Amino acid sequence: MAAPAPIGVITEKVQKIWSALELQVSPFCQVLVLPGITFRELDATAKKFIAGKFMDHARESVLYVIDGTGNDRVFLGAPRHFVAGGGTILCAPGNNLFWVRKNQPQTMTATLISPPTPPKHVKIPRPPNAYILYRKERHHLVKAANPGITNNEISQILGKAWNGETEEIRKKYKDLSLQVKQALLEKHPDYQYRPRRPSERRRRRRSTHASSHLRGAGNAHAASSPGSPSADSPADSNDDV
C-alpha cells in the first residue's frame, strides 16, 4: 500500500481532479460542480488548492456548499451566486454548509438539518465571522495531524494560529465573512443579531455546570467498577465540529 502524501503536498491525484474540474471553467461559469464522492476524498489541503485555482478564475472569494436538494454533489462558488433567486445557505451540524433552493419541500430540509418541530418564528442563523470560516477550513487538518485531540484543544491551536496570521490572510477571511453577511442581509433585510439576555446566559451556565458535575460523578463511579471503560475512552471525546 502506498504511503499517504505529507500534509500540505498536492498529489498527482488532486492535480488530475482539478484538471477534470477545469473543463467546466469558461467565461460563463460562476459555480463549479463536484461529485459528492470526489469531494469526500479531498483533504483540507486539496480543497484549499482547488478553491484557490477557481478563485483565479472567479476573481473573488469562494466557498463549498453541499447540494441540499438531495443530489450527491457539492458546489464551489462565490456566496452571492447561492443566494440569487431565493437560494439559502444553511449551516448544519458539523459546520457543513448546505444550499437549498426556494420552495424546496420541507421534508427535504428537515432531513438535512434535523430541526425540531418548526417554530412560529424561524431563527435566522448568525453569519460566521472571519475566524469561524478560518477554523472550519483548518479543523480537519489539525485533527488528522493529531489523532485523539479534542475540539477544545483544536480551538486553542487554531486560535493561536489565527492570532499569528498575516494581515493578508486575516483580510481574506474577513472579506469572505463580509460577503456571507451581505448575502444574508440581501435575503433578510430586517436581520439583526440579538445576543442572549443575561438571564439566559446564567441559565445556560448553570445547566452546563450541572452536566459537568454529573459527568464527573459518572466517571468516578465507572473508574471504581470492574471492566468499565477508562477515563481516556474515545467515548469521552468531543464530537467533530
Side-chain angles (χ1 to χ4, degrees), residues 81-175:
H81 297 305
F82 299 117
V83 298
T88 302
I89 298 176
L90 301 174
C91 186
N95 278 346
N96 292 315
L97 298 179
F98 285 85
W99 171 72
V100 182
R101 286 195 184 100
K102 185 179 181 181
N103 298 326
Q104 181 178 331
Q106 290 298 314
T107 53
M108 179 60 69
T109 304
T111 300
L112 289 172
I113 61 176
S114 301
T117 303
K120 294 181 179 179
H121 300 287
V122 178
K123 180 178 176 60
I124 302 171
R126 185 182 182 185
N129 60 26
Y131 171 68
I132 294 297
L133 295 174
Y134 174 89
R135 182 183 186 277
K136 178 181 181 297
E137 187 175 89
R138 288 160 170 75
H139 176 90
H140 292 291
L141 189 62
V142 176
K143 185 87 170 177
N146 300 274
I149 193 171
T150 66
N151 284 335
N152 286 339
E153 292 169 333
I154 292 176
S155 295
Q156 292 173 8
I157 292 172
L158 290 176
K160 292 179 181 178
W162 172 254
N163 290 333
E165 287 289 4
T166 64
E167 283 301 317
E168 181 181 4
I169 294 295
R170 294 166 71 92
K171 183 179 184 301
K172 168 188 169 182
Y173 289 95
K174 288 176 182 177
D175 290 345

Side-chain angles (χ1 to χ4, degrees), residues 10-11 14-23 25-26 29 32 45-62 64 76-77 172:
I10 302 304
T11 64
V14 174
Q15 294 280 5
K16 289 182 178 179
I17 291 175
W18 167 245
S19 296
L21 293 172
E22 195 174 16
L23 297 176
V25 177
S26 73
C29 174
L32 284 185
T45 300
K47 291 174 185 176
K48 183 176 180 180
F49 168 76
I50 291 174
K53 286 289 189 180
F54 189 57
M55 283 174 59
D56 292 340
H57 162 74
R59 300 299 181 185
E60 58 184 319
S61 297
V62 298
Y64 293 96
L76 175 63
K172 168 188 169 182

